[in-house]
């Protein structure tokens, strides 16, 4: 594996949240204590380390892309995972009941990197930074058109996927293998049964629509698209389109510590982090920078509580990086 260096550090989104019954305690280290959920990139093994907490996973249910995993050997450094379990009072150790990983895409390189920072995969713009971990190659420029890769990460305010890890899986696509990509539906054409996803034209005329219920396919929906065929230029023939949430939904009253990218910015009183809506009040404290420095794509940490509308009411906002 290789850590990408030489670019401005952008710490990727880390979401710390609880279900309705969870009881979180803020620790002096900035972590959480008690039972809950922690999401972030894996930074170590010998158990699994996420968000600075070393989790014992001996009794945990392990899941990878919706399927059971046999052990920590099926995960990689840099992959963005969600850990359910107990964090000890020291804030540094815990015991996991579940570890789950779901990639953002697995598909072919469509545009090679010319700047060492971005690359096109399945028609999507992928950005790397100093924390991105490469598996199976060393430099982004080594990836060639047609290489099959798996990408984990979070999306910024322009819907660019900021990668926490990229894994080279195969040099060329094997016919019949599943390729998948997540993104937002744009320019839906119901007559021709197509829509745009980044630089990709998706033909869903033969696709199974899953988890839509009574909801119709529509612009701005966040979906996962699968295909069993190689891309035809910039066109993908979908075998399945699955409706997904663009972020985790949290219960009212939950105490949350949320570190991530500002993905929507209206004002310092109304913005989103990792697509979770956030509001500030007259009592909100701003640390490590003036409130006026808050902007789209800035890296922040927000502490507060979810209200009845599902919005995070911030008690404290810390500015980590001013974005790009």
């Amino acid at each position: 594996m290789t850590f990408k260096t030489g670019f401005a550090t952008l710490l990727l989104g880390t979401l710390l949240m609880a279900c309705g019954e969870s009881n979180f305690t803020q620790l002096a280290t900035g972590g959480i204590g008690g039972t809950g959920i922690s999401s972030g990139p894996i930074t170590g093994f010998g158990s699994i380390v996420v968000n600075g907490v070393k989790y014992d996973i001996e009794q945990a249910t392990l899941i990878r892309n919706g399927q059971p995993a046999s052990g920590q050997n099926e995960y990689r450094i840099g992959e963005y995972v969600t850990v359910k379990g107990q964090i000890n009072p020291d804030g540094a150790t815990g015991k996991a009941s579940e570890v789950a990983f779901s990639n953002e895409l697995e598909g072919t390189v469509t545009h090679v990197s010319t700047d060492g920072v971005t690359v096109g995969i399945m028609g999507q713009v992928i950005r790397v930074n100093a924390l991105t971990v490469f598996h199976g190659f060393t430099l982004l420029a080594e990836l060639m058109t047609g290489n099959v890769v798996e990408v984990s990460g979070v999306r910024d305010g322009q819907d660019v996927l900021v990668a926490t890890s990229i894994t080279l899986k195969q040099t060329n696509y094997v016919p019949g293998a599943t390729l998948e990509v997540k993104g937002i539906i744009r320019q839906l054409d119901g007559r021709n049964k197509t829509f745009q996803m980044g630089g990709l034209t998706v033909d869903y005329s033969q696709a199974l629509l899953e988890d839509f219920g009574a909801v119709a396919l529509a612009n701005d929906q966040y979906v996962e698209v699968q295909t069993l065929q190689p891309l035809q230029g910039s066109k993908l023939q979908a075998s399945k389109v699955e409706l997904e949430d663009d972020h985790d939904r949290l219960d009212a009253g939950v105490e949350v510590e949320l570190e991530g990218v500002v993905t929507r910015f209206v004002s310092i009183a109304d913005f989103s982090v990792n697509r979770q809506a956030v509001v500030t009040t007259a009592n909100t404290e701003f640390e490590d920078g003036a409130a006026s420095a808050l902007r789209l794509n800035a890296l922040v940490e927000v502490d507060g509580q979810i209200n009845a509308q599902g919005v995070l009411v911030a008690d404290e906002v810390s500015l980590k990086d001013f974005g790009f």
Side-chain angles (χ1 to χ4, degrees), residues 93-169:
T93 60
K95 187 171 184 178
S97 60
E98 181 181 285
V99 179
F101 166 77
S102 181
N103 60 30
E104 279 297 305
L105 67 81
E106 182 172 344
T108 52
V109 175
T110 47
H111 294 87
V112 299
S113 178
T114 58
D115 57 10
V117 182
T118 59
V119 63
I121 302 173
M122 298 290 283
Q124 314 304 300
V125 177
I126 312 299
R127 183 185 298 276
V128 303
N129 58 40
L131 300 183
T132 306
V133 186
F134 296 156
H135 298 275
F137 64 104
T138 304
L139 299 173
L140 199 62
E142 295 175 21
L143 293 179
M144 296 287 102
T145 302
N147 287 170
V148 179
V149 298
E150 184 173 38
V151 182
S152 177
V154 295
R155 295 180 184 272
D156 70 12
Q158 283 77 38
D159 202 35
V160 171
L161 177 55
V162 185
T164 55
S165 72
I166 303 178
T167 300
L168 176 62
K169 302 200 74 174

Side-chain angles (χ1 to χ4, degrees), residues 256-259 271 273 278 300-304 312 314 316-318:
V256 175
E257 180 183 273
L258 171 61
E259 183 176 310
F271 57 95
V273 177
V278 179
V300 300
E301 179 182 313
V302 180
D303 297 337
L312 175 56
E316 184 178 294
V317 178
S318 300

Side-chain angles (χ1 to χ4, degrees), residues 54-73:
K54 184 176 182 179
Y55 290 93
D56 178 353
I57 61 170
E58 186 174 353
Q59 303 298 320
T61 299
L62 306 180
I63 302 169
R64 184 177 183 86
N65 292 324
Q67 300 298 318
S70 61
Q72 68 178 33
N73 59 300

Side-chain angles (χ1 to χ4, degrees), residues 174-228:
V174 176
T178 300
L179 302 179
E180 54 191 20
V181 56
K182 296 175 183 177
I184 297 174
I185 294 176
R186 309 289 190 196
Q187 301 178 42
L188 178 66
D189 182 345
R191 175 172 294 184
N192 294 307
K193 296 193 179 300
T194 64
F195 58 83
Q196 297 296 125
M197 181 182 286
L200 205 61
T201 298
V202 177
D203 181 336
Y204 66 92
S205 60
Q206 301 175 39
L208 170 67
L209 301 183
E210 189 169 293
D211 293 338
F212 283 85
V215 177
L217 201 69
N219 285 319
D220 298 324
Q221 289 172 334
Y222 187 72
V223 297
E224 179 181 87
V225 177
Q226 293 186 0
T227 183
L228 299 174

